[in-house]
Coordinates of all heavy atoms in Angstrom, one line a residue:
D104 N 47.7 -100.6 73.7 CA 46.9 -101.9 73.6 C 46.7 -102.2 72.2 O 46.8 -103.4 71.8 CB 45.6 -101.7 74.3 CG 45.7 -101.3 75.8 OD1 46.6 -101.8 76.5 OD2 44.8 -100.6 76.3
T105 N 46.4 -101.3 71.4 CA 46.1 -101.5 70.0 C 47.3 -102.1 69.2 O 47.2 -103.1 68.5 CB 45.6 -100.2 69.3 OG1 44.4 -99.7 69.9 CG2 45.3 -100.5 67.8
V106 N 48.4 -101.5 69.4 CA 49.6 -101.9 68.7 C 50.1 -103.3 69.1 O 50.5 -104.1 68.3 CB 50.8 -100.9 68.7 CG1 50.4 -99.6 68.1 CG2 51.3 -100.7 70.1
L107 N 49.9 -103.6 70.4 CA 50.3 -105.0 70.8 C 49.4 -106.0 70.2 O 49.8 -107.1 69.8 CB 50.3 -105.0 72.4 CG 51.4 -104.2 73.1 CD1 51.1 -104.2 74.6 CD2 52.7 -104.8 72.8
R108 N 48.1 -105.7 70.2 CA 47.1 -106.6 69.5 C 47.4 -106.7 68.1 O 47.4 -107.9 67.5 CB 45.7 -106.1 69.8 CG 44.6 -106.8 69.1 CD 43.2 -106.4 69.4 NE 43.0 -104.9 69.2 CZ 42.8 -104.4 68.0 NH1 42.8 -105.1 66.9 NH2 42.6 -103.1 67.9
E109 N 47.6 -105.6 67.4 CA 47.8 -105.7 65.9 C 49.1 -106.3 65.5 O 49.2 -107.0 64.5 CB 47.7 -104.2 65.4 CG 46.3 -103.6 65.4 CD 45.4 -104.2 64.4 OE1 45.9 -104.8 63.4 OE2 44.2 -104.0 64.5
L110 N 50.2 -106.1 66.3 CA 51.4 -106.8 66.0 C 51.2 -108.3 66.0 O 51.7 -109.0 65.1 CB 52.5 -106.4 67.0 CG 53.3 -105.2 66.7 CD1 54.2 -104.9 68.0 CD2 54.2 -105.4 65.5
E111 N 50.5 -108.9 66.9 CA 50.3 -110.3 67.0 C 49.4 -110.7 65.8 O 49.6 -111.8 65.2 CB 49.7 -110.7 68.3 CG 49.6 -112.2 68.4 CD 49.2 -112.7 69.9 OE1 49.0 -111.8 70.7 OE2 49.2 -113.9 70.1
E112 N 48.3 -109.9 65.6 CA 47.4 -110.3 64.5 C 48.0 -110.2 63.1 O 47.7 -111.1 62.3 CB 46.2 -109.4 64.6 CG 45.3 -109.6 65.8 CD 44.1 -108.6 65.8 OE1 43.9 -107.8 64.9 OE2 43.3 -108.7 66.8
E113 N 48.8 -109.2 62.8 CA 49.3 -109.0 61.5 C 50.6 -109.8 61.2 O 50.7 -110.3 60.1 CB 49.6 -107.5 61.3 CG 48.3 -106.7 61.2 CD 48.6 -105.3 60.7 OE1 49.7 -105.0 60.2 OE2 47.7 -104.4 60.9
V114 N 51.5 -109.8 62.1 CA 52.8 -110.4 61.8 C 53.2 -111.5 62.8 O 54.3 -112.0 62.7 CB 53.9 -109.3 61.8 CG1 53.6 -108.3 60.7 CG2 54.2 -108.7 63.1
G115 N 52.3 -111.9 63.7 CA 52.6 -113.0 64.6 C 53.6 -112.7 65.7 O 54.2 -113.6 66.3
L116 N 53.8 -111.4 66.0 CA 54.8 -111.0 67.1 C 54.0 -110.7 68.3 O 53.3 -109.7 68.4 CB 55.6 -109.8 66.6 CG 56.6 -109.3 67.6 CD1 57.6 -110.4 68.0 CD2 57.4 -108.1 67.1
R117 N 54.3 -111.5 69.4 CA 53.6 -111.3 70.7 C 54.6 -110.6 71.6 O 55.6 -111.1 71.9 CB 53.1 -112.6 71.3 CG 52.5 -112.4 72.7 CD 52.0 -113.7 73.2 NE 50.9 -114.3 72.4 CZ 50.3 -115.4 72.8 NH1 50.7 -116.1 73.9 NH2 49.3 -115.9 72.0
L118 N 54.3 -109.4 72.0 CA 55.0 -108.6 73.0 C 54.2 -108.2 74.2 O 52.9 -108.2 74.0 CB 55.6 -107.3 72.3 CG 56.6 -107.5 71.1 CD1 56.9 -106.2 70.5 CD2 57.8 -108.3 71.6
D119 N 54.8 -107.9 75.3 CA 54.0 -107.4 76.4 C 54.2 -105.9 76.6 O 55.0 -105.3 75.9 CB 54.3 -108.2 77.7 CG 55.8 -108.1 78.1 OD1 56.4 -107.1 77.8 OD2 56.3 -109.1 78.7
A120 N 53.5 -105.4 77.6 CA 53.6 -103.9 77.8 C 54.9 -103.4 78.1 O 55.2 -102.2 77.8 CB 52.6 -103.5 78.9
D121 N 55.8 -104.2 78.6 CA 57.2 -103.8 78.9 C 58.0 -103.4 77.6 O 59.0 -102.8 77.7 CB 58.0 -104.9 79.6 CG 57.4 -105.1 81.1 OD1 56.8 -104.1 81.6 OD2 57.7 -106.1 81.6
A122 N 57.5 -103.9 76.4 CA 58.2 -103.6 75.2 C 58.0 -102.1 74.7 O 58.7 -101.6 73.8 CB 57.7 -104.5 74.1
V123 N 57.0 -101.4 75.3 CA 56.7 -100.1 74.8 C 57.7 -99.1 75.4 O 58.1 -99.1 76.5 CB 55.3 -99.6 75.4 CG1 55.0 -98.2 75.0 CG2 54.2 -100.5 74.8
I124 N 58.3 -98.3 74.4 CA 59.4 -97.4 74.8 C 58.8 -96.0 74.9 O 59.2 -95.2 75.8 CB 60.5 -97.4 73.7 CG1 61.0 -98.8 73.5 CG2 61.6 -96.4 74.2 CD1 62.1 -98.8 72.4
G125 N 57.9 -95.6 74.0 CA 57.4 -94.2 74.0 C 56.4 -94.0 72.9 O 56.0 -94.9 72.1
R126 N 56.1 -92.7 72.7 CA 55.1 -92.3 71.7 C 55.7 -91.2 70.8 O 56.6 -90.4 71.3 CB 53.9 -91.8 72.3 CG 53.1 -92.9 73.1 CD 52.0 -93.5 72.3 NE 51.1 -92.6 71.7 CZ 50.0 -92.1 72.4 NH1 49.7 -92.5 73.6 NH2 49.2 -91.2 71.8
L127 N 55.2 -91.0 69.6 CA 55.5 -89.9 68.7 C 54.3 -89.1 68.5 O 53.2 -89.4 69.1 CB 56.0 -90.4 67.4 CG 57.4 -91.2 67.4 CD1 57.6 -91.9 66.1 CD2 58.5 -90.3 67.8
D128 N 54.4 -88.0 67.8 CA 53.2 -87.1 67.5 C 52.1 -87.8 66.8 O 52.4 -88.7 66.0 CB 53.6 -85.9 66.7 CG 54.5 -84.9 67.5 OD1 54.5 -84.9 68.7 OD2 55.1 -84.0 66.8
D129 N 50.9 -87.5 67.1 CA 49.7 -87.9 66.3 C 49.8 -87.4 64.9 O 50.4 -86.3 64.7 CB 48.4 -87.5 66.9 CG 48.2 -88.2 68.3 OD1 48.9 -89.1 68.7 OD2 47.2 -87.8 68.9
Y130 N 49.3 -88.1 64.0 CA 49.3 -87.6 62.6 C 47.9 -87.9 62.0 O 47.4 -89.0 61.9 CB 50.3 -88.4 61.8 CG 50.5 -88.0 60.4 CD1 51.6 -87.1 60.0 CD2 49.7 -88.4 59.3 CE1 51.8 -86.7 58.7 CE2 49.9 -88.0 58.0 CZ 50.9 -87.2 57.7 OH 51.1 -86.7 56.4
D131 N 47.3 -86.8 61.5 CA 45.9 -86.9 60.9 C 46.1 -87.1 59.4 O 46.8 -86.4 58.7 CB 45.2 -85.6 61.1 CG 44.8 -85.3 62.6 OD1 44.9 -86.3 63.4 OD2 44.5 -84.2 62.9
T132 N 45.3 -88.1 58.9 CA 45.5 -88.5 57.5 C 44.3 -88.0 56.7 O 43.2 -87.7 57.2 CB 45.5 -90.0 57.3 OG1 44.2 -90.6 57.5 CG2 46.5 -90.6 58.3
R133 N 44.5 -87.9 55.4 CA 43.5 -87.5 54.5 C 42.4 -88.6 54.3 O 41.3 -88.3 53.9 CB 44.1 -87.2 53.1 CG 45.0 -86.0 53.0 CD 44.2 -84.7 52.8 NE 45.1 -83.6 52.5 CZ 44.6 -82.4 52.1 NH1 43.3 -82.2 52.1 NH2 45.4 -81.4 51.8
S134 N 42.7 -89.8 54.7 CA 41.8 -90.9 54.5 C 40.9 -91.1 55.7 O 40.1 -92.0 55.8 CB 42.5 -92.2 54.2 OG 43.4 -92.5 55.3
G135 N 41.0 -90.2 56.7 CA 40.0 -90.2 57.8 C 40.4 -90.7 59.1 O 39.6 -91.1 59.9
F136 N 41.8 -90.8 59.4 CA 42.2 -91.3 60.6 C 43.2 -90.4 61.4 O 43.9 -89.6 60.7 CB 43.0 -92.6 60.4 CG 42.1 -93.8 60.0 CD1 41.8 -94.0 58.6 CD2 41.6 -94.6 60.9 CE1 41.0 -95.1 58.3 CE2 40.8 -95.7 60.6 CZ 40.5 -95.9 59.2
T137 N 43.2 -90.5 62.7 CA 44.3 -89.9 63.5 C 45.1 -91.1 63.9 O 44.7 -91.9 64.7 CB 43.7 -89.2 64.7 OG1 43.0 -88.0 64.3 CG2 44.8 -88.8 65.7
I138 N 46.4 -91.1 63.4 CA 47.3 -92.1 63.7 C 48.1 -91.8 64.9 O 48.7 -90.7 65.0 CB 48.2 -92.4 62.5 CG1 47.4 -92.8 61.3 CG2 49.2 -93.5 62.9 CD1 48.3 -93.1 60.1
K139 N 48.2 -92.7 65.9 CA 49.0 -92.6 67.1 C 50.2 -93.6 67.1 O 50.0 -94.8 67.3 CB 48.1 -92.8 68.3 CG 47.0 -91.8 68.4 CD 46.0 -92.1 69.5 CE 44.9 -91.1 69.6 NZ 45.3 -89.7 69.8
P140 N 51.4 -93.1 66.8 CA 52.5 -94.0 66.7 C 53.1 -94.4 68.1 O 53.3 -93.5 68.9 CB 53.6 -93.3 65.9 CG 52.8 -92.0 65.3 CD 51.7 -91.8 66.3
V141 N 53.3 -95.7 68.3 CA 53.9 -96.2 69.5 C 55.2 -96.9 69.2 O 55.2 -97.7 68.2 CB 52.9 -97.2 70.2 CG1 53.5 -97.7 71.5 CG2 51.6 -96.5 70.5
V142 N 56.3 -96.6 69.9 CA 57.6 -97.1 69.6 C 57.8 -98.3 70.6 O 57.5 -98.2 71.8 CB 58.7 -96.1 69.8 CG1 60.1 -96.7 69.5 CG2 58.5 -94.9 68.9
L143 N 58.2 -99.5 70.0 CA 58.4 -100.7 70.8 C 59.8 -101.3 70.6 O 60.3 -101.1 69.5 CB 57.3 -101.7 70.5 CG 55.9 -101.3 70.7 CD1 55.2 -101.0 69.3 CD2 55.1 -102.4 71.4
W144 N 60.3 -102.0 71.5 CA 61.5 -102.7 71.4 C 61.2 -104.2 71.2 O 60.6 -104.9 72.1 CB 62.3 -102.6 72.7 CG 63.8 -103.0 72.6 CD1 64.3 -104.2 73.3 CD2 64.9 -102.4 72.0 NE1 65.6 -104.3 73.0 CE2 66.0 -103.2 72.2 CE3 65.0 -101.3 71.2 CZ2 67.3 -102.9 71.7 CZ3 66.2 -101.0 70.7 CH2 67.3 -101.7 70.9
G145 N 61.4 -104.7 70.0 CA 60.9 -106.0 69.6 C 61.7 -107.2 69.9 O 61.3 -108.3 69.8
G146 N 63.0 -107.0 70.2 CA 63.9 -108.1 70.6 C 64.6 -108.8 69.4 O 64.7 -108.2 68.4
T147 N 65.1 -110.0 69.7 CA 65.9 -110.8 68.7 C 65.2 -112.1 68.5 O 64.2 -112.5 69.1 CB 67.3 -111.0 69.3 OG1 67.2 -111.7 70.5 CG2 68.0 -109.7 69.6

Side-chain angles (χ1 to χ4, degrees):
D104 301 325
T105 301
V106 297
L107 291 172
R108 173 176 56 77
E109 290 286 345
L110 271 172
E111 185 170 6
E112 290 179 3
E113 289 189 17
V114 301
L116 178 58
R117 178 179 294 183
L118 299 174
D119 58 32
D121 291 340
V123 175
I124 307 175
R126 296 266 303 276
L127 296 169
D128 286 344
D129 292 354
Y130 185 97
D131 294 345
T132 75
R133 292 277 192 171
S134 59
F136 288 89
T137 293
I138 299 177
K139 300 176 181 294
V141 181
V142 182
L143 303 104
W144 191 252
T147 60

